[in-house]
Amino acid sequence: MKAIVVGGGIGGLAAAVSLRRVGWEVVVYERAASFGEIGAGVGVMPNALRALEWMGVADEVRRLGTPRVSGGVRSSDGRWLVHLPDVGQDRVVAMHRADLHGVLLRALPSEILVNDVEVTGADELDADLVVAADGIHSRLRAELLPGAPEPVYAGATAWRGVAPGPYDLPISQTLGPGREAGILPLGDGRICWYMAAVAPPQAPLDPLELFAGWHDPLPHLVASTPDVIRHDIYELPLLPTFVKGRVALLGDAAHAMTPYLGQGACMALEDAVTLAAVGGDLARYDALRRPRAQAVWKGSRMAGRFGIEVRSPVALALRNSAFRLLPHSVAVKGMTRFAAWRMPAEVHSNGSSPSVT
């Protein structure tokens, strides 16, 4: 059986690694002139790490990612709202997106990676299975589901970067009125950070001004970063299906979501191993992945409503007090709820799986 994967990002490469593991012949087409990944940090959650374990690359991910770290949620003045003294490496591995992409890229033979290819339609591809991993603005999705909704602005803009350091910091999220920030420490002392603010699209904003006065070292991280990436946050409204004919939508092409749970890349990794586990059975893939991914999509939206979208002083004080009063066990459960997904228990050489949950 032959599969063509359209898109050489994290989701596309993960699909190629997974399908090859169950015996598929795979080719990956990438529109760019070379295979690579831009961006800053990614938190590899336990659900994603389980998928990577099955792909056979989790050990390298752990080696490149951050060792055991503490973490939690803070207010803009630096006080802890929720503090987990040691979330442990089994809960999250922080790493640069380019490093995760590189792990997947090295797991594939170079001869199946074809760059500088523009795919405009599924009909031009000769394969038993086409995996549309071509991102939030997927051309294949537009062709397959002409009446489906297009991406919409999610109401906030974001900045990301990698500060050179060295720093010794915990993983943390900081919440303020209409703004939030996050820190992902890398093992070499660098810090992947992001900042986001409720704003109109393409608003002329300066993160140094927006986050002035926030706790250290957030302003310094921005000031010391040579290349800051700015992008407006878009999401893809819920689709009626992730499949059509012999084509499966995967990753952001299927369920691009807001970043407030940090599960975007993790969902793509889940998609990849599930597609392989069901042996390319697209009806089964859709039945398993669409409810799961769309539940996380909704959860991320809800996290935004109780996080970045809180702006009034009264609502802010109530939200922060509620966080501080949370029992430790409830806080852990809330933070790990969407990471509880379990990947297929067994995948046979013919691609069948006795259980996918």
Side-chain angles (χ1 to χ4, degrees):
M1 301 290 283
K2 180 181 179 180
I4 292 178
V5 178
V6 180
I10 288 172
L13 295 186
V17 172
S18 299
L19 288 167
R20 280 173 52 83
R21 190 182 186 281
V22 293
W24 285 71
E25 176 189 349
V26 182
V27 177
V28 182
Y29 290 150
E30 166 57 40
R31 180 172 59 180
S34 61
F35 283 82
E37 179 73 12
I38 61 172
V42 58
V44 181
M45 305 294 183
N47 50 317
L49 201 58
R50 294 183 195 107
L52 293 163
E53 286 275 11
W54 181 79
M55 291 182 217
V57 297
D59 286 346
E60 189 176 0
V61 167
R62 292 189 184 97
R63 180 178 64 81
L64 294 173
T66 303
R68 297 176 65 86
V69 290
S70 60
V73 182
R74 309 173 83 166
S75 61
S76 58
D77 61 7
R79 289 181 295 172
W80 289 104
L81 303 177
V82 179
H83 188 207
L84 306 180
D86 190 355
V87 300
Q89 195 175 15
D90 60 328
R91 295 189 186 276
V92 61
V93 175
M95 64 192 307
H96 198 288
R97 290 185 69 91
D99 289 337
L100 177 57
H101 186 271
V103 168
L104 296 168
L105 193 65
R106 290 188 291 275
L108 295 168
S110 59
E111 60 266 23
I112 76 165
L113 304 171
V114 185
N115 57 281
D116 210 13
V117 175
E118 188 82 30
V119 176
T120 58
D123 290 343
E124 65 191 79
L125 303 175
D126 181 17
D128 302 289
L129 170 66
V130 175
V131 181
D134 51 343
I136 186 172
H137 299 292
S138 169
R139 293 187 178 186
L140 291 180
R141 183 187 65 239
E143 176 200 25
L144 295 169
L145 306 174
E150 291 296 313
V152 297
Y153 183 58
T157 191
W159 298 264
R160 303 175 191 271
V162 180
Y167 294 93
D168 181 15
L169 299 172
I171 290 178
S172 65
Q173 179 186 31
T174 300
L175 299 176
R179 287 160 286 169
E180 74 168 39
I183 287 175
L184 283 169
L186 301 181
D188 60 4
R190 293 179 300 161
I191 295 291
C192 288
W193 59 267
Y194 82 93
M195 294 180 174
V198 174
Q202 299 181 349
L205 299 172
D206 182 350
L208 280 173
E209 295 179 1
L210 281 174
F211 293 88
W214 281 42
H215 69 80
D216 292 333
L218 289 173
H220 186 262
L221 293 178
V222 181
S224 65
T225 298
D227 298 306
V228 175
I229 302 168
R230 186 300 180 54
H231 65 91
D232 289 337
I233 298 172
Y234 281 77
E235 62 184 356
L236 183 66
L238 303 183
L239 297 179
T241 182
F242 286 178
V243 303
K244 187 173 182 182
R246 62 198 173 104
V247 182
L249 299 174
L250 185 145
D252 281 353
H255 45 67
M257 60 188 67
T258 56
Y260 307 128
L261 289 178
Q263 280 283 352
C266 300
M267 288 294 101
L269 297 174
E270 286 188 19
D271 290 347
V273 295
T274 302
L275 183 61
V278 300
D281 180 342
L282 296 193
R284 183 69 173 146
Y285 170 76
D286 184 59
L288 289 168
R289 290 308 304 155
R290 188 157 48 89
R292 160 67 176 168
Q294 292 182 347
V296 177
W297 185 98
K298 292 175 183 177
S300 188
R301 262 202 161 195
M302 186 63 66
R305 291 196 182 103
F306 285 96
I308 192 173
E309 293 177 21
V310 176
R311 287 184 279 181
S312 79
V314 173
L316 200 70
L318 290 172
R319 191 270 316 279
N320 290 356
S321 295
F323 268 125
R324 291 191 184 99
L325 293 173
L326 279 179
H328 185 272
S329 60
V330 175
V332 171
K333 185 177 180 180
M335 289 183 175
T336 60
R337 172 187 171 194
F338 291 107
W341 173 86
R342 298 307 230 178
M343 53 170 302
E346 181 182 356
V347 180
H348 299 295
S349 59
N350 65 0
S352 64
S353 174
S355 65
V356 183
T357 58

